[in-house]
Amino acid sequence: MRKAKGRKFYVVLGLVVVAAFGIVLYLNLRPDNGYRSAIPRDAKAVMVLDFTQTAQNLGFTVKDLMLHYNKMSNTGVDFTKPLYGFVAQNGNMGLVASVANAEQLDENLRSMGFETETRRGLIWCVIGNFVMSHDDEKVLVMGPTTINMSQDLYEQMAELMIQGSSESDILVSLDEQPGEIKLYTHADVLPESVTEQIAMHLPEGADLSKVEVKAAVGVTNKKVTFEANLDFADDRLRDYFVEFNKSFHPINGRLLNLAPADPVFWACANIEGDHHLELMRHYKRLRPMLAALNTQLDADQIINAIEGDVSVSIPILSLNKLHALVLAELKNTEFSEEAMLEWKGEEWQSGICRNADRRGGRLYFVSNDAALASKAGSLGSSVAYQQLKDEIVGCVFFASINLSKMLYAVTPYAMMFSSSPKLYETLDALDRLNIKMKDCTHFNIELNLKKDIRRLVL
């Protein structure tokens, strides 16, 4: 009996040793993200910037960047690990990073004229309106603050620095998202003046704190992409956006051939006019505009007759005048005379034209340019949009801005930047900005460049 008990004891002891060894092994081999524990678990917004992944996408390492920018290599901060920014519940902004060398960090601060002191086993420093605290593992910066608020901020930061290694659900969500720069936030993180304006157009009592925004930025040599998704924990907002989406349909692409050759700006959406008119009346600021339009022409009749793609083109951009052409596919309905604007010199003109690419297809056009109005419905030569056809068709909204054309149009003396070669080179590298929406809660923005980003950052 004693031998049996002895064997059980050693078996249990062996299991305890194995478990302890496993825990020690896990703690030593797991990714070292302990510095993230300084991020508030109830943060309103968290952003992460992964220098390592960004550098790899561009074809070099973080060390290459740090060697090029000497100030980065001498900070004592470990830029090979992600950098985290956040907005706390009280509105304070913060930054959390991993420490590579605490002594070097202190020395660097003192060399810049900042005094450091030790309190509660942490090193503290005041940098303008912000407070910094660090230990051997992590550095936390928060602010802005005032003399009256500094003690409260100090207490808050001290608690964050020692709150332990557990992490918030926000960080888990960020880890699951693709991208090198990622953001998770709630819509109420915006300034109150902005949220008040947004709330005016939403259902009464809608809670913006229940609108989740997930965004990510990806970087490659000649492209920067931004994606954002909205999720709603508020049923009123979810139902509202479901209804809002019903007024938009996937772009069919029938107006692609009618876009002027490589315009400065081109946008397209596919709308159901009568449904869209009801939504426009819902917006308090649009109601007076619709009323004013209806004194000049029968705007309600025009909007109700739209069914299909609607495009806006700005072929020429100058400081003196904005030349624009609007085209809209129509239902088979007749228009009254009140639905047409008269051509009066430089004022707007509207009318009905035929789509040269579709037999029997009718279009409603509006333009403030006599030449554009005379060519409304004619085949264009927009090679750029024909190449993007697969990306455009199926979206509910697409817009493209030729940045190089726009910049040279609004800054005719762009060569004045030649005194700053790097700035001029950056402007000259810009190509096109494309905005795509799968629906009204999913956004994709692409910035295309003519030159490699590596040439601009090194």
Side-chain angles (χ1 to χ4, degrees):
M1 184 68 69
R2 290 181 180 177
K3 288 183 178 180
K5 289 183 178 179
R7 288 195 194 99
K8 289 182 180 178
F9 172 78
Y10 287 116
V11 169
V12 172
L13 180 62
L15 290 174
V16 171
V17 171
V18 170
F21 177 77
I23 292 171
V24 171
L25 189 65
Y26 168 76
L27 292 174
N28 282 278
L29 296 181
R30 66 175 179 170
D32 186 12
N33 291 329
Y35 67 100
R36 306 199 312 182
S37 64
I39 299 172
R41 294 167 191 159
D42 61 349
K44 295 172 69 174
V46 178
M47 185 180 75
V48 57
L49 171 57
D50 190 336
F51 285 104
T52 300
Q53 188 61 52
T54 302
Q56 288 176 356
N57 288 350
L58 298 178
F60 44 64
T61 67
V62 174
K63 290 182 179 179
D64 294 333
L65 283 176
M66 294 175 70
L67 287 173
H68 183 77
Y69 297 102
N70 292 327
K71 291 182 179 179
M72 287 178 65
S73 60
N74 297 324
T75 58
V77 175
D78 188 356
F79 287 103
T80 64
K81 295 177 182 176
L83 189 71
Y84 291 86
F86 64 84
V87 177
Q89 282 291 331
N90 61 4
N92 275 329
M93 295 179 290
L95 186 70
V96 175
S98 177
V99 171
N101 188 317
E103 292 181 1
Q104 188 177 41
L105 177 57
D106 291 340
E107 184 180 341
N108 186 54
L109 289 170
R110 288 191 291 269
S111 68
M112 292 189 294
F114 299 112
E115 296 183 2
T116 61
E117 63 172 326
T118 303
R119 300 169 66 182
R120 293 194 184 182
L122 302 169
I123 307 298
W124 297 82
C125 177
V126 177
I127 305 175
N129 293 330
F130 287 79
V131 177
M132 173 190 283
S133 177
H134 79 85
D135 54 22
D136 293 339
E137 182 185 30
K138 55 188 174 293
V139 56
L140 171 64
V141 180
M142 286 187 69
T145 187
T146 61
I147 294 176
N148 295 332
M149 297 169 56
S150 58
Q151 185 59 33
D152 292 337
L153 182 61
Y154 165 76
E155 294 293 340
Q156 182 185 5
M157 291 178 65
E159 290 179 8
L160 291 174
M161 289 292 288
I162 61 173
Q163 72 174 347
S165 59
S166 61
E167 298 176 349
S168 69
D169 293 338
I170 291 180
L171 291 176
V172 176
S173 178
L174 283 173
D175 290 341
E176 294 172 350
Q177 288 179 239
E180 293 75 63
I181 304 172
K182 297 178 283 189
L183 171 70
Y184 182 99
T185 184
H186 291 264
D188 64 339
V189 76
L190 296 169
E192 187 174 345
S193 57
V194 177
T195 57
E196 287 177 353
Q197 294 298 317
I198 295 174
M200 286 177 60
H201 305 299
L202 297 175
E204 188 175 350
D207 188 354
L208 290 177
S209 68
K210 294 184 178 181
V211 180
E212 296 180 342
V213 182
K214 298 178 182 179
V217 177
V219 182
T220 57
N221 278 328
K222 287 191 176 181
K223 183 181 289 187
V224 178
T225 60
F226 172 84
E227 289 196 38
N229 298 319
L230 303 181
D231 288 324
F232 308 102
D234 186 331
D235 290 339
R236 286 167 298 187
L237 286 171
R238 188 184 297 108
D239 294 342
Y240 171 79
F241 275 91
V242 167
E243 192 66 23
F244 189 82
N245 276 326
K246 288 180 181 177
S247 66
F248 291 91
H249 302 286
I251 294 170
N252 60 49
R254 287 194 285 260
L255 299 185
L256 284 174
N257 287 331
L258 308 184
D262 200 18
V264 174
F265 174 83
W266 186 82
C268 188
N270 186 312
I271 69 171
E272 186 179 328
D274 49 1
H275 198 157
H276 205 72
L277 182 60
E278 292 302 316
L279 283 172
M280 293 175 72
R281 287 173 175 155
H282 171 80
Y283 291 102
K284 296 178 182 178
R285 292 191 173 183
L286 288 180
R287 283 201 294 266
M289 188 185 302
L290 283 171
L293 279 173
N294 277 304
T295 63
Q296 303 296 320
L297 75 163
D298 193 343
D300 285 4
Q301 185 187 15
I302 297 168
I303 297 172
N304 275 317
I306 296 174
E307 187 174 73
D309 283 2
V310 178
S311 70
V312 179
S313 303
I314 301 178
I316 305 168
L317 185 64
S318 67
L319 296 176
N320 300 321
K321 184 180 179 181
L322 188 71
H323 303 261
L325 171 65
V326 179
L327 292 173
E329 293 186 308
L330 300 174
K331 301 175 185 176
N332 291 321
T333 55
E334 295 300 324
F335 281 90
S336 63
E337 293 183 1
E338 289 77 16
M340 303 298 152
L341 283 171
E342 295 181 1
W343 179 258
K344 297 179 180 179
E346 295 296 314
E347 296 180 6
W348 293 89
Q349 181 188 16
S350 70
I352 303 292
C353 63
R354 294 288 177 181
N355 184 339
D357 207 26
R358 288 180 65 214
R359 291 184 180 181
R362 298 189 313 156
L363 302 172
Y364 185 81
F365 74 87
V366 181
S367 181
N368 65 337
D369 183 286
L372 288 175
S374 65
K375 296 178 182 177
S378 302
L379 292 177
S381 56
S382 183
V383 178
Y385 300 121
Q386 284 300 314
Q387 293 174 342
L388 292 170
K389 183 175 180 180
D390 291 340
E391 296 184 38
I392 297 173
V393 174
C395 291
V396 298
F397 176 79
F398 177 88
S400 182
I401 304 170
N402 189 318
L403 293 172
S404 53
K405 271 193 172 185
M406 184 185 72
L407 288 170
Y408 278 99
V410 298
T411 55
Y413 305 105
M415 287 302 293
M416 67 183 179
F417 292 116
S418 58
S419 58
S420 176
K422 203 69 178 179
L423 177 58
Y424 179 76
E425 185 182 3
T426 301
L427 291 173
D428 194 48
L430 298 176
D431 182 17
R432 188 179 294 276
L433 185 72
N434 295 329
I435 303 168
K436 295 179 288 185
M437 291 172 55
K438 297 177 183 177
D439 58 44
C440 297
T441 58
H442 295 80
F443 307 85
N444 178 284
I445 300 174
E446 291 182 354
L447 172 62
N448 296 283
L449 304 173
K450 299 175 185 175
K451 301 177 182 178
D452 285 356
I453 293 180
R454 285 180 295 185
R455 293 181 54 184
L456 303 177
V457 299
L458 292 180

